[in-house]
Amino acid sequence: AQSVTQLGSHVSVSEGALVLLRCNYSSSVPPYLFWYVQYPNQGLQLLLKYTSAATLVKGINGFEAEFKKSETSFHLTKPSAHMSDAAEYFCAVDRDDKIIFGKGTRLHILP
Amino acid sequence: SAVISQKPSRDICQRGTSLTIQCQVDSQVTMMFWYRQQPGQSLTLIATANQGSEATYESGFVIDKFPISRPNLTFSTLTVSNMSPEDSSIYLCSVERDRGYHTEAFFGQGTRLTVV
């Protein structure tokens, strides 16, 4: 069954530094993959999605993710972290018309 | 996109009681989904609610504990029955839009439930 694994439940980066949040998927066929963000006390918001149209996907707020089939990965990156990026990030996969979420990674931004 | 309204946004309930959460969507959708997010955890799918049929529950969730109604294509309710402190979570309603080759999910703001 398709699923995603997020490496690291907590990631801390300094403001202005590169953000890298890791996500690996398990699937026998190319999946549809998503990154969602949950800001404190708010609902979920879609950051970006991979639908096989392009391997490098650009999302909102300067985030992007690259689908690498050879590594079964869909890591989320942002070149320069901002304090407002502090949030919980969830990698997710579309499985049988249901969205299945990874365990989430809490991103901390250090001043 | 889809606009999803959930009520209540938060509640504090006594153990042994039940709470019904409402989810209203601004347009008709075939399937509505209910998720639970326990403190510090990811989202776990509770059930899928189709209009006109019984909800489909995921492993570990049963209808007696989480009865769901889906009276029409824009509305659903989730009841958390006979609550215990372990039911303290955020409960989220979700709908998905079929993009032809994938689905995209939209979420309500969630209901933060605390059971005391």
Side-chain angles (χ1 to χ4, degrees):
Chain A
Q2 294 175 341
S3 66
V4 290
T5 302
Q6 290 183 245
L7 301 177
S9 58
H10 292 266
V11 170
S12 296
V13 301
S14 298
E15 191 174 16
L18 171 71
V19 175
L20 171 61
L21 304 182
R22 300 176 187 274
C23 173
N24 289 88
Y25 67 90
S26 62
S27 174
S28 57
V29 296
Y32 300 126
L33 294 160
F34 309 85
W35 275 99
Y36 284 86
V37 60
Q38 186 177 37
Y39 296 104
N41 299 315
Q42 294 189 28
L44 282 160
Q45 181 179 5
L46 180 68
L47 266 180
L48 50 81
K49 59 182 183 284
Y50 167 75
T51 59
S52 76
T55 56
L56 182 63
V57 182
K58 294 187 183 300
I60 62 172
N61 300 338
F63 283 93
E64 61 182 37
E66 187 172 7
F67 176 78
K68 291 187 177 180
K69 186 177 179 181
S70 59
E71 300 176 6
T72 61
S73 69
F74 190 58
H75 301 332
L76 181 71
T77 61
K78 181 174 180 177
S80 177
H82 192 274
M83 295 300 291
S84 61
D85 294 326
E88 185 96 18
Y89 292 80
F90 295 95
C91 183
V93 63
D94 182 338
R95 187 181 77 193
D96 299 329
D97 291 331
K98 302 171 189 175
I99 304 298
I100 306 299
F101 289 87
K103 292 189 180 300
T105 299
R106 184 166 295 277
L107 177 63
H108 304 270
I109 309 298
L110 307 174
Chain B
S1 64
V3 177
I4 303 170
S5 302
Q6 260 185 258
K7 290 193 299 185
S9 58
R10 58 178 64 231
D11 207 342
I12 301 174
C13 300
Q14 297 289 328
R15 68 176 69 201
T17 63
S18 298
L19 175 71
T20 295
I21 302 168
Q22 299 180 5
C23 179
Q24 179 75 51
V25 189
D26 66 342
S27 57
Q28 294 184 344
V29 292
T30 305
M31 294 191 290
M32 296 177 75
F33 304 85
W34 287 98
Y35 287 84
R36 180 175 73 181
Q37 186 179 21
Q38 293 176 301
Q41 303 293 320
S42 183
L43 289 86
T44 303
L45 182 63
I46 297 172
T48 303
N50 291 319
Q51 194 269 334
S53 64
E54 268 197 13
T56 304
Y57 289 83
E58 298 297 307
S59 175
F61 298 95
V62 295
I63 188 171
D64 290 346
K65 177 66 176 177
F66 297 101
I68 287 171
S69 78
R70 185 77 202 276
N72 57 54
L73 291 173
T74 63
F75 186 79
S76 178
T77 68
L78 169 76
T79 299
V80 186
S81 303
N82 189 26
M83 289 184 283
S84 66
E86 291 71 33
D87 294 320
S88 297
S89 295
I90 298 173
Y91 293 85
L92 294 111
C93 172
S94 170
V95 302
E96 294 180 357
R97 290 268 186 252
D98 186 355
R99 298 300 187 191
Y101 44 85
H102 78 284
T103 54
E104 183 172 330
F106 299 90
F107 291 84
Q109 290 296 97
T111 297
R112 186 179 294 272
L113 170 62
T114 302
V115 183
V116 297

